[in-house]
């Protein structure tokens, strides 16, 4: 049941962040003059136990080091919403990559953890096909290929489709119209939750092998 606890923790994190953004937008960003205090309070209230002595310098937030004009609020909120959605998508891929790899090893599908989520998806596809139940889960596996490719586009190509990502799409999502090279990606909250459902479906399938 370990994977379910980890997934639930990430689910709560996702819900909390989305709710915080919603509240922030309703308050027009809140009182930006208090941002320095908010950061300092967050630093003081968050627990740090790295397990080692860090070389990174911890410095207090300097007074007047963060400045916002009221005219910046619309742009701030727009960037906050889109960037946070992208962050949650990238985080979801990372979580699924780890959980799926562990499940495949635990169920004896592979002897060593797959090197990445692409390899993990190939392994579970082969296993589900051998069990005669791949068709039932095909939509979810393909969706996970979509999200991992989108993750790469966001992280490695500044959110624009490259020839490499298009080729990856063609290889793993046959008979689908691929995006155009250089086309910018925009991730919606609806997309995020659709991919979360796909992720849960794939993880459940791996757990039941």
């Amino acid at each position: 049941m370990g994977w379910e606890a980890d997934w639930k923790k990430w689910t709560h994190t996702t819900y909390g962040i989305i709710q915080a953004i919603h509240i922030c937008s309703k308050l027009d960003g809140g009182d930006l003059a208090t941002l320095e205090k908010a950061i300092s309070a967050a630093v003081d209230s968050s627990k740090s136990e790295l397990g080692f002595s860090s070389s990174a310098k911890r410095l207090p937030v300097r007074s007047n080091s963060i400045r916002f004009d009221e005219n910046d609020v619309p742009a701030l909120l727009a960037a906050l919403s889109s960037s946070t959605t992208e962050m949650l998508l990238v985080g979801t891929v990372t979580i699924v990559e780890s959980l799926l790899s562990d499940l495949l090893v635990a169920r004896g599908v592979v002897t060593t953890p797959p090197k990445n989520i692409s390899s993990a998806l190939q392994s579970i596809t082969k296993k589900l096909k051998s069990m005669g139940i791949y068709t039932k889960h095909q939509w979810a596996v393909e969706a996970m290929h979509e999200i991992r490719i989108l993750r790469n586009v966001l992280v490695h190509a500044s959110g624009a489709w490259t020839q490499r990502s298009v080729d990856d799409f063609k290889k793993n999502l046959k008979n689908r119209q691929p995006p155009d090279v250089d086309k910018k990606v925009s991730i919606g909250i609806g997309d995020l939750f659709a991919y979360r459902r796909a992720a849960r479906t794939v993880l459940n399938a791996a757990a039941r092998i």
Side-chain angles (χ1 to χ4, degrees):
M1 297 298 290
W3 75 270
E4 291 182 312
D6 288 339
W7 180 253
K8 185 176 182 180
K9 182 178 180 181
W10 178 243
T11 295
H12 288 170
T13 300
T14 299
Y15 292 166
I17 291 174
I18 292 174
Q19 178 72 350
I21 292 174
H22 176 70
I23 293 172
C24 184
S25 66
K26 291 298 182 182
L27 297 174
D28 292 329
D31 185 358
L32 295 177
T34 66
L35 184 56
E36 290 178 3
K37 291 182 179 179
I39 293 175
S40 295
V43 170
D44 293 339
S45 64
S46 59
K47 187 177 181 179
S48 175
E49 289 186 2
L50 304 182
F52 59 87
S53 178
S54 174
S55 297
K57 295 181 179 179
R58 272 67 171 169
L59 300 175
V61 178
R62 300 194 314 276
S63 179
N64 297 319
S65 62
I66 300 176
R67 297 189 182 93
F68 275 109
D69 187 279
E70 290 300 321
N71 295 324
D72 295 332
V73 171
L76 181 149
L77 292 177
L80 178 64
S81 178
S82 60
S83 297
T84 303
T85 305
E86 293 174 1
M87 178 191 72
L88 290 171
L89 182 138
V90 171
T92 297
V93 176
T94 302
I95 294 293
V96 173
E97 183 173 54
S98 176
L99 297 182
L100 181 57
S101 295
D102 289 346
L103 282 169
L104 292 176
V105 173
R107 297 301 183 271
V109 177
V110 296
T111 56
T112 58
K115 61 182 180 180
N116 51 45
I117 190 170
S118 180
S119 297
L121 290 171
Q122 291 171 9
S123 295
I124 193 170
T125 295
K126 183 178 179 180
K127 181 63 177 180
L128 293 176
K129 284 182 176 180
S130 72
M131 297 170 66
I133 58 174
Y134 175 68
T135 301
K136 176 182 177 182
H137 300 91
Q138 182 175 355
W139 72 272
V141 174
E142 290 186 351
M144 292 314 299
H145 277 294
E146 292 175 17
I147 189 177
R148 72 162 183 82
I149 296 171
L150 285 169
R151 185 271 308 269
N152 292 339
V153 169
L154 293 172
V155 174
H156 302 298
S158 300
W161 284 88
T162 63
Q163 188 60 58
R164 181 176 181 178
S165 56
V166 169
D167 290 343
D168 194 1
F169 186 98
K170 291 178 179 178
K171 177 182 177 181
N172 292 282
L173 300 165
K174 297 179 174 60
N175 302 319
R176 301 265 296 278
Q177 181 64 37
D180 295 327
V181 173
D182 294 329
K183 184 176 179 61
K184 294 291 288 186
V185 166
S186 178
I187 309 295
I189 290 293
D191 299 321
L192 175 66
F193 278 89
Y195 285 126
R196 281 178 51 83
R197 285 190 288 273
R200 181 67 190 242
T201 298
V202 170
L203 292 172
N204 274 326
R208 293 170 182 170
I209 290 174

